[in-house]
Amino acid sequence: MKSVVFFIFLFFFKQKTAYEITVWLEFRRCALPIYLDAAISDLTAYLQLDSASALAYWQRAVCHALMGEFQLSQGAANVITEGKAFDDIRKAIELSPQNAYLYYDEANMCAARKDYEKALRLYDKAIQLNANMAEAYYNSGLVLQKCGRKAEAVTRLSKAGELGLYNAYSVIKQIGVENKQDGKDTKKK
């Protein structure tokens, strides 16, 4: 049964856009505790058959990252799982260095562990490979905001909005509100 699910999984990913893949992965997140171990096992078995599959390494990295998030939410350390996720995403990048989504996913993983400078470099690489990747502009804008680089954050978020990720405009508005509050606080002191 697991192998049938896995081959449906591979067929599904070959037929869908990145957005549809992301939606599907978010749906899978709901069933995290039940299915991730099986998915990791299936992907490992597949990689024994085809060790040159960037897609399989990428998806196993995503599964390890999701498992790590789940373990963290349960109060368990996720260092080993996180390490496996990074190993797999780097292997996928080695096999498919022109895939912007691989850099984007590694950047997300770095941002999650608060390695913001590395995340920004990886978002930049994703944008270099795909200048229309609204999600990379958006997430790099959020990271820049966390780093206190608000002007750069607004520029990135604005580009994300131009590319159709309209939630970016709400974040820009929030940054403006924060700037006004910072200005009022400075005047009061």
Side-chain angles (χ1 to χ4, degrees):
M1 177 65 178
K2 285 194 297 187
S3 25
V4 171
V5 170
F6 177 68
F7 286 110
I8 291 169
F9 171 83
L10 283 180
F11 177 77
F12 178 84
F13 278 98
K14 289 182 181 179
Q15 306 299 318
K16 301 296 179 185
T17 66
Y19 173 76
E20 290 168 321
I21 292 169
T22 303
V23 169
W24 189 81
L25 288 173
E26 286 299 315
F27 171 75
R28 291 237 4 187
R29 183 186 295 250
C30 297
L32 204 58
I34 301 168
Y35 295 108
L36 280 177
D37 281 331
I40 290 168
S41 295
D42 286 343
L43 289 161
T44 300
Y46 181 79
L47 284 166
Q48 290 172 348
L49 299 172
D50 180 6
S51 63
S53 174
L55 178 63
Y57 279 107
W58 179 15
Q59 294 310 309
R60 192 171 70 174
V62 170
C63 290
H64 279 303
L66 292 172
M67 183 62 86
E69 287 176 21
F70 176 74
Q71 289 170 342
L72 197 57
S73 75
Q74 302 300 306
N78 69 341
V79 176
I80 294 171
T81 306
E82 183 180 87
K84 290 177 181 178
F86 277 101
D87 290 345
D88 280 348
I89 198 76
R90 289 181 188 128
K91 181 66 175 177
I93 289 170
E94 178 185 315
L95 293 168
S96 185
Q98 297 304 309
N99 186 332
Y101 293 96
L102 296 174
Y103 294 98
Y104 171 77
D105 278 353
E106 185 178 6
N108 289 339
M109 291 164 49
C110 289
R113 71 176 190 185
K114 296 181 173 49
D115 187 351
Y116 297 133
E117 291 306 316
K118 185 171 184 178
L120 288 171
R121 286 192 304 273
L122 290 163
Y123 286 130
D124 288 344
K125 181 66 176 178
I127 290 166
Q128 176 188 353
L129 292 170
N130 181 353
N132 293 318
M133 186 182 256
E135 298 86 354
Y137 285 103
Y138 182 84
N139 285 4
S140 63
L142 296 178
V143 169
L144 288 163
Q145 180 187 12
K146 286 182 184 272
C147 293
R149 297 161 56 183
K150 291 181 181 181
E152 292 172 86
V154 168
T155 301
R156 291 287 177 106
L157 291 163
S158 179
K159 182 65 176 178
E162 290 170 22
L163 291 171
L165 216 162
Y166 301 118
N167 289 343
Y169 295 125
S170 297
V171 178
I172 291 170
K173 185 176 180 180
Q174 183 61 38
I175 291 171
V177 168
E178 289 172 5
N179 284 342
K180 286 180 183 178
Q181 288 175 345
D182 291 344
K184 288 179 184 175
D185 291 344
T186 306
K187 291 175 185 174
K188 289 180 182 177
K189 291 179 182 178

